[in-house]
Amino acid sequence: MFQLSKVRTFSDYISDVFQFLKLYGKHYFINYLNFAFPALLISILTIVIFSIFSSQIFTAFISIIGLGRNFEIQNALLVFFSTIILYIVTSYFITLSLSFPLYYIRLIRESPNEKPQLQTIRSLFRKDLKRMLLFGILTVALNIIVTLFFILVAFYLIGGFIAFLFAPILFLLGLILITVLIILIQFLTIWYIVTFFYYGNDNLLFFTAAKKAFKMLMRNFWRIIGANICMMLIVSVSYRIITAIPFIIFDSFLEITDLNYTILNSSISITEKIIIVIMFCVSFLVYLLLYHLILILNNLVYYSETEKLEQNNNSLN
């Protein structure tokens, strides 16, 4: 039986994720694929559509930023509706992907000796659908703002890093700033995920859940951040290993030197474009499934910190 509610150390978080996978892994991922199949299909179709019309979209953006070039109405509409569709699909898919581990692990806590049933998970999701979609819409909007901010910071750091190369002290300062940025990105990602678990499990408002998640993370900053960085490294390495073989095979077959450029290249055949789209879809699916290790880990963070808080309250009483 998997012990969900317990106070965990740094090593416990890593080992318990793999213990969870050992006991529930096959059942978890099969049910997730069944649960998320419509959203997965829509996401894959979105990838295909964007791949097919990528050259038009690219041309549209060039028309926007290029001086002295006329911007065609059909390109403007293409970019606008593509952005709206992407926003809706992303919001729904984020909601779906975060909801499944939330309900699955909650059901394990309620019935430790039984594996959660897909029908029960779907029933819970339908019941909370409005709240979950609201969270997805809010977080996508916030993520866009945060992403734009980090892009600006990244450009600043790259420019600063080049300047730092000419002075050892400034070079060291640049490395420190880059390290801080990596930790900050990881912190925001964890904060966002744990906020969802407080939002869903405790039935809190969005900003109340965010405040509670922030306080919890600050109490055990390095333990939680460290465990997530280790798990992210495991996910990244596993992803590269799993996807390396098909990419090497197709890369040698198609003689691809730049995958993004190849999709935009109108001179390649339809068959080659289809193969490239399939490669993107497979990579997307593999990374999606591996990222659930991060979601499971932060679910354990939620239950561990909840248990720790309950123990502290009981000792005070």
Side-chain angles (χ1 to χ4, degrees):
M1 184 178 70
F2 185 74
Q3 187 177 357
L4 185 59
S5 298
K6 70 174 186 179
V7 179
R8 291 177 170 85
T9 62
F10 170 82
S11 60
D12 288 336
Y13 282 121
I14 306 298
S15 60
D16 281 0
V17 169
F18 291 101
Q19 179 66 17
F20 177 89
L21 293 177
K22 181 180 178 181
L23 295 174
Y24 299 99
K26 182 179 178 181
H27 184 267
Y28 177 93
F29 287 113
I30 289 175
N31 280 276
Y32 169 71
L33 290 174
N34 288 328
F35 177 75
F37 178 76
L40 279 171
L41 185 60
I42 292 171
S43 300
I44 290 173
L45 288 174
T46 303
I47 293 173
V48 172
I49 292 170
F50 268 72
S51 299
I52 293 172
F53 295 104
S54 56
S55 59
Q56 289 91 332
I57 296 172
F58 182 75
T59 302
F61 279 112
I62 293 297
S63 299
I64 293 173
I65 63 175
L67 296 176
R69 298 187 64 178
N70 294 326
F71 182 71
E72 299 180 2
I73 295 177
Q74 60 266 32
N75 284 337
L77 293 175
L78 178 64
V79 174
F80 176 76
F81 285 113
S82 297
T83 303
I84 296 297
I85 292 171
L86 183 62
Y87 184 84
I88 294 172
V89 170
T90 303
S91 299
Y92 181 72
F93 192 73
I94 286 176
T95 303
L96 209 65
S97 295
L98 288 173
S99 297
F100 183 81
L102 181 145
Y103 295 129
Y104 191 96
I105 295 178
R106 183 200 293 178
L107 292 172
I108 290 176
R109 187 185 189 188
E110 294 173 356
S111 303
N113 297 320
E114 298 178 6
K115 290 185 177 180
Q117 298 299 312
L118 181 59
Q119 185 177 356
T120 306
I121 295 173
R122 282 176 172 162
S123 176
L124 290 171
F125 180 71
R126 284 194 293 267
K127 180 182 177 182
D128 296 336
L129 181 59
K130 290 183 179 179
R131 292 190 74 248
M132 297 308 183
L133 284 177
L134 177 61
F135 185 93
I137 292 170
L138 287 172
T139 50
V140 169
L142 291 175
N143 283 338
I144 292 172
I145 296 172
V146 172
T147 300
L148 291 174
F149 169 76
F150 276 114
I151 289 173
L152 293 175
V153 172
F155 277 115
Y156 172 79
L157 288 175
I158 291 171
F161 187 76
I162 295 173
F164 294 154
L165 292 175
F166 298 97
I169 297 177
L170 294 178
F171 176 75
L172 179 61
L173 179 60
L175 291 177
I176 294 173
L177 289 175
I178 291 173
T179 303
V180 170
L181 180 63
I182 293 171
I183 294 174
L184 181 59
I185 292 173
Q186 194 65 38
F187 173 79
L188 291 174
T189 303
I190 300 165
W191 184 20
Y192 157 66
I193 294 172
V194 177
T195 295
F196 181 82
F197 295 145
Y198 274 109
Y199 179 86
N201 284 321
D202 296 355
N203 200 30
L204 301 174
L205 296 175
F206 179 86
F207 291 104
T208 304
K211 182 179 179 181
K212 197 168 184 178
F214 181 83
K215 290 181 178 179
M216 182 273 288
L217 290 175
M218 294 307 295
R219 286 197 301 267
N220 299 280
F221 184 84
W222 291 112
R223 182 195 306 171
I224 297 172
I225 293 292
N228 272 274
I229 289 176
C230 287
M231 188 57 68
M232 181 59 73
L233 290 173
I234 293 171
V235 168
S236 299
V237 171
S238 300
Y239 168 76
R240 293 184 182 279
I241 292 173
I242 293 171
T243 57
I245 297 175
F247 267 88
I248 291 172
I249 294 173
F250 286 117
D251 180 69
S252 60
F253 176 71
L254 299 175
E255 297 181 352
I256 296 171
T257 56
D258 187 340
L259 196 58
N260 292 321
Y261 173 77
T262 304
I263 292 177
L264 296 176
N265 191 348
S266 58
S267 64
I268 67 174
S269 68
I270 296 296
T271 302
E272 291 173 326
K273 286 188 176 182
I274 292 173
I275 292 174
I276 293 169
V277 169
I278 292 173
M279 290 165 64
F280 269 113
C281 293
V282 170
S283 300
F284 170 75
L285 181 60
V286 169
Y287 189 79
L288 173 67
L289 295 179
L290 287 173
Y291 197 79
H292 273 258
L293 273 65
I294 304 292
L295 300 180
I296 293 168
L297 170 63
N298 286 288
N299 240 309
L300 298 183
V301 167
Y302 166 80
Y303 283 105
S304 179
E305 294 304 314
T306 301
E307 178 66 19
K308 184 177 180 180
L309 185 62
E310 289 178 0
Q311 289 182 8
N312 291 338
N313 290 336
N314 291 335
S315 63
L316 291 175
N317 294 330

